Amino acid sequence: MTNTKPGRRARAEQPSEALALAMERAFIVSSSHLASPGNEDLSEFEFALTVVNHAFQRWVVRGMAAANLPDLSPLDALILHSVNHRHRQKSISDLMFTLNLSERHYLNYAMKKLDRLGLITRRRDGKEVFVGATEKGRTVCEDYARIRKVCLLELIPPDRRPGGVKIGEVAKALRVLTGFYEQASRSASSL
């Protein structure tokens, strides 16, 4: 118990009107020089996206480690899950397109690693290479799915609205924003 006068603590916890107003307008950004007036929300979104991306990648690595594959990078794991998707072989171009990869050498490096671990198979059909998950690869993906259910899905509220927004709506908004960033990327290349 602290030595404060009655009522003093309650006043200290109540923000002043000016502070409450400032907090209402405050944006959480990592780079104030990018928070142009009127577009602060985009800078706040980019910072949140950066933080969630790192948290997601950490989760993927730890989830795969719990499934007995501690040496996979986030990209390695995502490629394995994509290859295992619907238990159908995928072409290199399909994987590049699906995962929105622009550099093929990242995919090649990951596939060599996954192949060395016995998680994927590769076959050539003409000029195209097709990749499929091995039984070991499918088992690891299933183990990860079970771990994901226990460690992650249990945290998601039943109404699917963490933070008051449906997860599906966030996903749709992210797909739209992806198009904006892709266009901006093309524009920056031509400068």
Side-chain angles (χ1 to χ4, degrees):
M1 188 168 246
T2 60
N3 264 343
T4 58
K5 294 179 183 177
R8 185 176 203 180
R9 188 172 193 192
R11 278 194 301 265
E13 290 177 359
Q14 298 292 328
S16 69
E17 281 186 48
L19 179 59
L21 187 60
M23 287 171 52
E24 207 174 286
R25 291 188 188 148
F27 291 92
I28 300 170
V29 299
S30 67
S31 307
S32 60
H33 62 281
L34 298 177
S36 354
N39 293 304
E40 298 91 350
D41 58 343
L42 186 60
S43 293
E44 185 172 33
F45 164 77
E46 290 172 343
F47 181 49
L49 185 61
T50 300
V51 172
V52 78
N53 179 49
H54 291 298
F56 173 69
Q57 289 187 13
R58 241 185 333 274
W59 151 249
V60 168
V61 167
R62 298 266 161 66
M64 292 307 284
N68 293 318
L69 277 175
D71 298 327
L72 293 188
S73 72
L75 183 59
D76 299 337
L78 295 174
I79 289 169
L80 176 60
H81 287 295
S82 187
V83 166
N84 186 56
H85 177 60
R86 298 189 188 206
H87 306 291
R88 289 193 304 238
Q89 291 191 333
K90 314 293 184 301
S91 70
I92 300 297
S93 50
D94 287 342
L95 290 169
M96 298 272 302
F97 180 74
T98 301
L99 296 172
N100 199 20
L101 296 173
S102 58
E103 302 290 333
R104 186 175 174 146
H105 65 275
Y106 293 128
L107 180 64
N108 288 337
Y109 179 79
M111 286 193 326
K112 284 179 187 173
K113 189 176 189 178
L114 296 171
D115 196 10
R116 193 174 58 248
L117 291 168
L119 301 170
I120 64 167
T121 61
R122 294 189 263 183
R123 73 171 174 82
R124 187 175 285 283
D125 187 2
K127 291 185 177 184
E128 190 66 72
V129 174
F130 289 87
V131 185
T134 62
E135 186 61 40
K136 180 181 178 183
R138 286 188 292 277
T139 300
V140 167
C141 288
E142 290 166 6
D143 290 347
Y144 177 92
R146 281 191 288 278
I147 292 162
R148 182 176 179 267
K149 183 176 183 182
V150 171
C151 295
L152 179 65
L153 299 184
E154 296 289 327
L155 299 174
I156 305 298
D159 68 356
R160 316 293 298 157
R161 291 181 175 273
V165 181
K166 275 196 168 189
I167 293 172
E169 292 170 3
V170 173
K172 286 177 189 173
L174 286 171
R175 286 192 293 273
V176 170
L177 285 164
T178 298
F180 295 150
Y181 282 100
E182 291 287 347
Q183 181 56 48
S185 178
R186 281 190 288 278
S187 297
S189 296
S190 66
L191 293 179

